[in-house]
Amino acid sequence: MNIRSNAIVGQPGGPTAAINATLAGVIHAALEAEQIGTLYGMRNGIDGFLGEQIINLSDRFAQGRDLQELITTPGAALGSCRRKLPPFEDDPELYERLFKLFSKYDIRYFFYIGGNDSMDTVDKVAAYARERNYDIRVIGIPKTIDNDLCGTDHTPGFGSAAKFVAVTIQELLRDCAVYTVPAVTVVEIMGRDAGWLTAAAGLPQLAGYGGPDLIYLPERVFDMNAFLEDIRNALAVHPNVLVAVSEGIRFADGTYVGEGGQSGAADVFGHRYLAGTGKVLEQAIRETIGCKVRSVELSLCQRCASSVASATDLSEAFSAGEAGVSLACQGKTGLMVTFIRENEPYRCSLGCIPVSEVANRIRKVPDSYIDSKGNQITVQCLQYLRPLIVGEPALVWRDGMPVHLVLD
Amino acid sequence: MNIRSNAIVGQPGGPTAAINATLAGVIHAALEAEQIGTLYGMRNGIDGFLGEQIINLSDRFAQGRDLQELITTPGAALGSCRRKLPPFEDDPELYERLFKLFSKYDIRYFFYIGGNDSMDTVDKVAAYARERNYDIRVIGIPKTIDNDLCGTDHTPGFGSAAKFVAVTIQELLRDCAVYTVPAVTVVEIMGRDAGWLTAAAGLPQLAGYGGPDLIYLPERVFDMNAFLEDIRNALAVHPNVLVAVSEGIRFADGTYVGEGGQSGAADVFGHRYLAGTGKVLEQAIRETIGCKVRSVELSLCQRCASSVASATDLSEAFSAGEAGVSLACQGKTGLMVTFIRENEPYRCSLGCIPVSEVANRIRKVPDSYIDSKGNQITVQCLQYLRPLIVGEPALVWRDGMPVHLVLD
């Protein structure tokens, strides 16, 4: 007879439209795993767990009830936190407290669904456990709309965000095309260091009725004069110019284009908040070219528009959650689940990588995905992106609104 | 045997997610009407027509081909214009040229799908025709996401915009709920003079998991001190406060709250562009309360997010187009199609009203729809809004993107 131990799962960092699908995958697999007794959920990540804020997910989702609604609910059903674990030397008591709680609740499986910063936490907890010979299997499951984690073809959450960007850009193209007065629309898209999501703005051109005239990623140095020249050239071709820009584009001296329009505040990781890139460019166009111009910031909708999610993304996100449980049950630890791609036809299988090779690193858009002028993406990039947005999720609608699952 | 005359249709003003559904209704009914020979489309409204930019819609949509794709395509397939016809006395030559073109193309039916400003054009053309005994039937078919036309229960295009606002607010509520740090999210919603669309932000509360904490419409004078007190009170209840504000809220002296953040530019009708309401409030909260705060502008997506359209709205918009053709074929002129509502169960039937009673007037949100404090909507308001967003349209998706119809 198996001796069962318990498991816990957390959803730190910024939410996505797919992070609850991954949670659903963890729940589904944990309920079926013979080695796992009770699956707990951390309220607000490590932060909440340290205050013993936990929820019994095995009871809540007994017999798989409500899992489908959880899959299509945006946000992080368990709540999130922004705490990055300090190095052990800086706060040994915190680590001791954490492991006392693991012991108190007999937790031998720890799943952390997160991005870059959360993979650093996975790495530290796994390393600490190994050093103390504490038998806990710590598995990272990727999520980020930024698609900038190393070691994986793409990340859960990216496909849905990319689909929202692509669909919205296509709708804006129709909207902007109605007038004959020369006008520029600047659409600002999330992505501090990597331009994956901004690149997705190019997807509408696959449908055959055009895409953005210009696309600027943070992987290329931004030159304001070249930009304004690009705009002038585009206006010479047709009156309705649509430009997609990453919030993270920078000048040659390393300053963000958006810094002119931002407060200069930084988050707890020292990342600077950027909010003004589109507005800065709007103003520059108004002052130098003088045509009608407006900027649109896609903002938080990029990470929570579940109503326009990618079914491929949600399905892969669910599988990533299941794979995390499977790895832990095989005795693995300190790993992150990865996606491995096969093309023609597209197929995504699951792998893993030591989390130490992932934490605190950023995967940028490769050179071959950006055209030589640095103001458009290439066909190769479109081929990479296309399969990730395919399929519409089976949303449940009631009185015109999608049904969400809220954990009380 | 009937003697057939020709018809023409235009789509002036700002586009909506439903204006092509109305165009499809006009096309469908005109193709079937015995009195109508060829249906032409004005490229870019009256502007394009004066330059003889027309398209033969009878040929393009023979046997109803592509009508379904047209219905779910955002923007105005025929293109738009912002021209408001001057009074006859100011430019008699323009009127003469217009009627020479009607005569040249044997046009006896003129359908104009538009908002306030376009109904003024319908009124002027109909009046001019009557005075000259020129037999042309001029019918206005309403469209505006603002829902501010008089004489009709609601306007085509509003239901889809309201649904986008409601669904997006619900998704933002899930997203904003993940952190425990006190934070305010200010969502800025379109509507210069009437708060209908901002009121739709309250719809998520019908689902039972909460709505925005506070809602401010332009129908009430905005008081910054009261607003900041409202925010403080909301933060005392829970950490994640979400506020919906209309772009059109004004201080007691009549100045727009957003004027601090705007360019002061005005459009050709003298309407001032507002873009800074959310940003101004964000800054005020940061400076006085000092908590985490951000603003989200829903922007153009409100009028073009066909992927989250209301099936009820698209169906009613189509019917409004058909009804316009029917009125003209009955010999009526100078009328606007209206919606008449029955409740329990909701049912929308079609009527009409002299366009002179509609043009240049604005229908505001009634007092009974706004709570006594002026910072929330009432149950009555929710009951009014609810049926308008029901149903999801039959979109055609290809490779993860909705299929649009683009008229070349």
Side-chain angles (χ1 to χ4, degrees):
Chain A
M1 183 185 142
N2 270 314
I3 295 180
R4 291 176 176 236
S5 296
N6 300 325
I8 196 159
V9 57
Q11 295 178 300
T16 76
I19 191 169
N20 284 333
T22 296
L23 176 62
V26 169
I27 294 169
H28 183 254
L31 287 175
E32 297 208 330
E34 289 192 353
Q35 298 100 310
I36 295 177
T38 297
L39 173 67
Y40 295 107
M42 291 178 168
R43 289 281 193 186
N44 301 105
I46 286 278
D47 259 7
F49 183 57
L50 288 168
E52 292 188 62
Q53 303 268 313
I54 57 177
I55 173 175
N56 185 323
L57 294 172
S58 297
D59 281 356
R60 177 62 184 77
F61 291 93
Q63 286 94 43
R65 197 168 51 85
D66 295 341
L67 277 187
Q68 186 53 45
E69 288 179 12
L70 179 60
I71 289 170
T72 53
T73 297
L78 294 173
S80 179
C81 71
R82 284 279 182 192
R83 183 194 290 258
K84 193 169 175 174
L85 275 197
F88 167 71
E89 314 79 66
D90 293 2
D91 193 351
E93 282 165 20
L94 189 151
Y95 283 78
E96 279 159 30
R97 168 144 183 76
L98 188 60
F99 277 75
K100 262 186 197 148
L101 288 172
F102 286 147
S103 179
K104 176 176 174 183
Y105 291 97
D106 190 25
I107 290 168
R108 301 284 154 178
Y109 307 90
F110 172 24
F111 308 107
Y112 220 37
I113 309 166
N116 252 311
D117 297 309
S118 308
M119 292 308 140
D120 182 74
T121 295
V122 170
D123 193 28
K124 283 174 174 147
V125 172
Y128 181 88
R130 265 194 299 264
E131 278 170 31
R132 308 290 136 126
N133 280 319
Y134 187 102
D135 179 21
I136 183 167
R137 295 87 186 264
V138 191
I139 301 290
I141 309 169
K143 73 88 212 168
T144 167
I145 62 165
D146 293 331
N147 201 36
D148 61 354
L149 288 182
C150 294
T152 183
D153 180 73
H154 56 282
T155 57
F158 172 67
S160 292
K163 180 168 188 156
F164 171 78
V165 167
V167 168
T168 302
I169 290 282
Q170 185 176 258
E171 290 168 344
L172 288 171
L173 285 164
R174 293 297 89 71
D175 187 277
C176 294
V178 303
Y179 294 116
T180 53
V181 178
V184 179
T185 304
V186 180
V187 184
E188 179 183 330
I189 297 166
M190 280 180 168
R192 207 172 0 233
D193 301 301
W196 295 103
L197 204 50
T198 306
L203 281 165
Q205 67 181 272
L206 287 172
Y209 12 76
D213 298 275
L214 300 159
I215 299 176
Y216 300 89
L217 310 187
E219 281 79 1
R220 290 284 178 275
V221 166
F222 186 82
D223 181 308
M224 187 65 89
N225 289 327
F227 169 75
L228 292 168
E229 191 57 29
D230 288 348
I231 297 284
R232 280 193 196 90
N233 291 338
L235 281 168
V237 178
H238 65 156
N240 301 296
V241 170
L242 193 142
V243 189
V245 298
S246 164
E247 61 172 343
I249 51 171
R250 304 185 199 206
F251 294 117
D253 67 2
T255 57
Y256 285 104
V257 173
E259 280 188 59
Q262 64 147 327
S263 64
D267 71 12
V268 293
F269 301 144
H271 304 149
R272 304 189 77 169
Y273 287 125
L274 300 176
T277 309
K279 288 279 171 218
V280 167
L281 298 179
E282 176 190 329
Q283 199 56 26
I285 293 167
R286 185 173 292 119
E287 284 168 9
T288 58
I289 300 178
C291 64
K292 183 180 164 192
V293 56
R294 60 194 159 191
S295 58
V296 176
E297 200 184 332
L298 297 189
S299 191
L300 297 180
C301 300
Q302 292 164 88
R303 67 184 204 194
C304 65
S306 288
S307 48
V308 196
S310 155
T312 297
D313 181 38
L314 296 188
S315 159
E316 292 175 352
F318 186 91
S319 302
E322 291 182 308
V325 174
S326 170
L327 286 171
C329 289
Q330 291 162 36
K332 306 282 176 63
T333 186
L335 298 179
M336 183 186 84
V337 173
T338 60
F339 286 158
I340 302 157
R341 171 194 296 234
E342 286 169 44
N343 283 316
E344 321 274 345
Y346 170 81
R347 205 176 143 264
C348 177
S349 58
L350 293 146
C352 61
I353 188 174
V355 79
S356 56
E357 294 178 25
V358 177
N360 303 315
R361 290 174 59 203
I362 287 167
R363 188 173 66 107
K364 301 212 173 213
V365 176
D367 284 348
S368 60
Y369 286 11
I370 308 170
D371 86 346
S372 57
K373 282 185 162 179
N375 60 15
Q376 262 299 352
I377 57 166
T378 62
V379 172
Q380 254 186 288
C381 184
L382 290 171
Q383 284 166 345
Y384 168 82
L385 294 168
R386 184 180 207 158
L388 309 183
I389 68 163
V390 170
E392 290 63 58
L395 289 173
V396 178
W397 295 84
R398 192 179 299 147
D399 291 335
M401 300 283 285
V403 174
H404 288 173
L405 184 85
V406 177
L407 291 177
D408 296 313
Chain B
M1 184 187 144
N2 270 313
I3 295 179
R4 291 177 176 235
S5 296
N6 300 324
I8 196 158
V9 56
Q11 296 178 300
T16 75
I19 191 169
N20 284 333
T22 296
L23 176 62
V26 170
I27 294 169
H28 183 254
L31 287 174
E32 298 208 331
E34 289 192 353
Q35 300 100 310
I36 295 177
T38 298
L39 173 68
Y40 296 105
M42 293 177 168
R43 289 281 194 188
N44 300 106
I46 287 277
D47 259 6
F49 182 57
L50 288 168
E52 292 188 64
Q53 304 267 313
I54 57 177
I55 173 174
N56 185 323
L57 293 171
S58 297
D59 282 356
R60 177 63 184 78
F61 291 93
Q63 287 94 46
R65 197 169 51 86
D66 296 340
L67 277 187
Q68 186 53 44
E69 287 179 11
L70 179 61
I71 289 170
T72 53
T73 298
L78 294 173
S80 180
C81 71
R82 283 279 181 192
R83 183 195 290 259
K84 193 168 175 173
L85 275 197
F88 167 71
E89 314 80 67
D90 293 2
D91 194 351
E93 283 164 20
L94 189 149
Y95 283 77
E96 279 158 31
R97 169 144 181 75
L98 189 60
F99 276 75
K100 263 187 198 149
L101 288 172
F102 286 148
S103 179
K104 175 175 175 182
Y105 291 97
D106 190 26
I107 290 167
R108 301 283 154 180
Y109 307 91
F110 172 25
F111 309 106
Y112 220 37
I113 308 167
N116 252 312
D117 297 309
S118 308
M119 291 310 138
D120 183 73
T121 295
V122 170
D123 192 27
K124 284 175 173 146
V125 172
Y128 181 88
R130 264 192 300 263
E131 278 170 33
R132 309 290 137 128
N133 280 319
Y134 187 103
D135 179 22
I136 183 167
R137 295 88 186 265
V138 192
I139 301 290
I141 310 170
K143 72 88 212 165
T144 167
I145 62 163
D146 292 331
N147 201 36
D148 61 353
L149 287 183
C150 294
T152 182
D153 179 73
H154 56 282
T155 56
F158 172 67
S160 292
K163 181 168 187 157
F164 172 79
V165 167
V167 169
T168 302
I169 291 282
Q170 185 176 258
E171 290 169 344
L172 288 171
L173 284 164
R174 293 295 89 71
D175 187 277
C176 294
V178 306
Y179 294 117
T180 53
V181 178
V184 179
T185 304
V186 180
V187 184
E188 179 183 329
I189 297 166
M190 280 181 168
R192 205 171 3 230
D193 301 301
W196 295 104
L197 204 50
T198 306
L203 281 164
Q205 67 181 272
L206 287 173
Y209 13 76
D213 297 275
L214 299 159
I215 299 177
Y216 300 90
L217 309 188
E219 281 79 1
R220 291 284 177 275
V221 166
F222 186 82
D223 179 307
M224 187 65 90
N225 289 326
F227 169 76
L228 292 168
E229 191 58 29
D230 288 348
I231 298 284
R232 280 193 195 92
N233 291 338
L235 282 168
V237 178
H238 64 156
N240 301 297
V241 170
L242 193 141
V243 188
V245 298
S246 163
E247 62 172 343
I249 51 172
R250 304 184 199 209
F251 295 116
D253 66 1
T255 58
Y256 286 105
V257 173
E259 280 189 58
Q262 63 148 332
S263 65
D267 71 13
V268 293
F269 300 144
H271 304 150
R272 306 189 74 168
Y273 286 125
L274 299 176
T277 309
K279 288 279 172 215
V280 167
L281 297 180
E282 175 189 329
Q283 198 57 26
I285 293 167
R286 185 173 292 119
E287 284 168 9
T288 58
I289 301 179
C291 64
K292 183 180 165 191
V293 56
R294 61 193 158 192
S295 58
V296 176
E297 200 184 331
L298 297 188
S299 191
L300 297 180
C301 300
Q302 291 164 90
R303 67 184 204 195
C304 66
S306 288
S307 48
V308 196
S310 154
T312 297
D313 181 37
L314 296 188
S315 159
E316 291 175 352
F318 186 90
S319 303
E322 291 182 308
V325 173
S326 169
L327 286 170
C329 289
Q330 292 162 36
K332 307 281 177 61
T333 186
L335 299 178
M336 183 185 85
V337 174
T338 60
F339 286 158
I340 301 158
R341 171 196 295 236
E342 286 169 43
N343 283 315
E344 321 272 346
Y346 170 82
R347 205 177 142 264
C348 178
S349 58
L350 293 146
C352 61
I353 188 174
V355 80
S356 55
E357 294 178 25
V358 177
N360 303 316
R361 290 174 59 204
I362 286 167
R363 188 174 66 107
K364 302 212 172 210
V365 176
D367 283 348
S368 60
Y369 286 10
I370 308 170
D371 85 347
S372 57
K373 282 186 163 177
N375 60 15
Q376 261 299 350
I377 56 167
T378 63
V379 172
Q380 255 185 287
C381 184
L382 290 170
Q383 284 166 344
Y384 168 83
L385 294 168
R386 184 180 208 156
L388 310 183
I389 68 163
V390 170
E392 291 62 58
L395 290 173
V396 178
W397 295 82
R398 193 178 298 145
D399 292 335
M401 300 283 285
V403 174
H404 287 173
L405 184 84
V406 177
L407 290 177
D408 296 314

